[in-house]
Amino acid sequence: MDRDFWLTRWQNNQIGFHEGVANSLLVAHFADLGVPPGGRVFVPLCGKSQDMCWLGAQGFKVVGAELSRLAVEQFFAEQGLTPVVSWSGQMERFEAEGVTLFVGDIFDLDQETLGSVDAVYDRAALVALPAPLRERYAAHLVAVTAAARQLLVTFEYDQTRQSGPPFSVAEPEVRALYGATHRLERAETREVPGGIRGACPARESVWLIKRH
Ligand SMILES: C[S@@+](CC[C@H](N)C(=O)[O-])C[C@H]1O[C@@H](n2cnc3c(N)ncnc32)[C@H](O)[C@@H]1O
């Protein structure tokens, strides 16, 4: 799952992960995080997710990070917005109407470039990464966001039956990644209709992750 894997997916429009509407677990549970009105929400590995529009419509400022410039260009074009483009640290920065998206590798995004955030929304980000990278990702996320509270969506399924992404990330791993710095509550679990690629039953969970 290197950079080229994702860049090629975007170039070939192989973006089955893109929902096209706001994620229903986000809509149902984001308020439970208790983010202050007008707060700044970080969406790592954001793609061109409609979830960012939903967050914006709730009055939050949105900041995302995404490897694919094409995804970010498509996001603003589809919203009918013309972003201001500049450079910040090692990331290219696109900004319009309260949405700031950084193009580049999330591991090159530092705290100064990101700026202060009140919360993280992770859907199809942690689970997009293979196991060795997930540990590095979670530690980096905690570091650059000063351990901001988080809404996390995970999948669980039999990894021997299907390969990722999305990868199966079960409760012990979520606790190992965030339990030292945060308290965790699984707010909802539901069956994924059709499972993973229509071939393997799967459950999807949403986690409320708040600082100790
Ligand atoms: C499964 S998609 C999910 C996108 C979005 N969160 C959504 O729900 O539609 C994962 C995204 O992460 C991006 N990505 C993968 N590795 C990355 C990295 N190291 N830094 C930034 N973005 C990355 C990919 O280009 C892809 O758009």
Side-chain angles (χ1 to χ4, degrees):
M1 235 78 349
D2 55 11
R3 294 169 57 102
D4 286 345
F5 170 87
W6 291 107
L7 296 176
T8 304
R9 295 279 294 253
W10 280 102
Q11 273 156 16
N12 296 340
N13 203 33
Q14 293 170 328
I15 53 168
F17 52 78
H18 178 67
E19 294 191 296
V21 293
N23 182 275
S24 57
L25 293 173
L26 168 71
V27 173
H29 294 287
F30 194 76
D32 301 336
L33 264 190
V35 181
R40 197 160 180 258
V41 181
F42 181 40
V43 185
L45 281 61
C46 60
K48 59 172 183 175
S49 164
Q50 286 294 308
D51 300 341
M52 298 190 283
C53 305
W54 184 86
L55 287 164
Q58 309 312 303
F60 298 112
K61 296 178 207 65
V62 174
V63 52
E66 168 55 49
L67 198 54
S68 167
R69 191 179 204 272
L70 186 57
V72 170
E73 288 170 352
Q74 287 181 8
F75 174 81
F76 285 108
E78 289 171 11
Q79 302 314 310
L81 298 172
T82 305
V84 175
V85 183
S86 60
W87 281 89
S88 187
Q90 297 184 63
M91 312 292 282
E92 197 173 13
R93 185 179 196 272
F94 287 60
E95 182 171 14
E97 301 282 331
V99 179
T100 304
L101 302 187
F102 291 104
V103 174
D105 190 326
I106 191 161
F107 296 109
D108 291 331
L109 178 67
D110 57 34
Q111 196 171 12
E112 191 187 344
T113 301
L114 175 62
S116 158
V117 298
D118 299 291
V120 173
Y121 168 61
D122 178 326
R123 186 256 164 195
L126 178 70
V127 299
L129 302 172
L133 260 193
R134 291 199 288 271
E135 204 174 329
R136 184 177 166 215
Y137 163 84
H140 180 65
L141 201 53
V142 169
V144 294
T145 67
R149 68 194 83 183
Q150 182 174 163
L151 194 78
L152 168 67
V153 180
T154 56
F155 289 110
E156 283 172 76
Y157 63 93
D158 183 350
Q159 193 75 88
T160 65
R161 289 183 58 185
Q162 282 288 316
S163 57
F167 294 96
S168 178
V169 178
E171 175 165 1
E173 182 173 349
V174 178
R175 294 202 178 277
L177 293 174
Y178 294 115
T181 43
H182 297 76
R183 60 194 155 85
L184 280 67
E185 180 194 340
R186 195 198 293 249
E188 186 182 336
T189 298
R190 65 186 187 189
E191 293 298 316
V192 176
I196 300 292
R197 293 178 204 102
C200 176
R203 287 178 306 152
E204 190 176 25
S205 291
V206 59
W207 295 86
L208 296 167
I209 300 179
K210 299 180 183 176
R211 252 156 97 161
H212 280 308

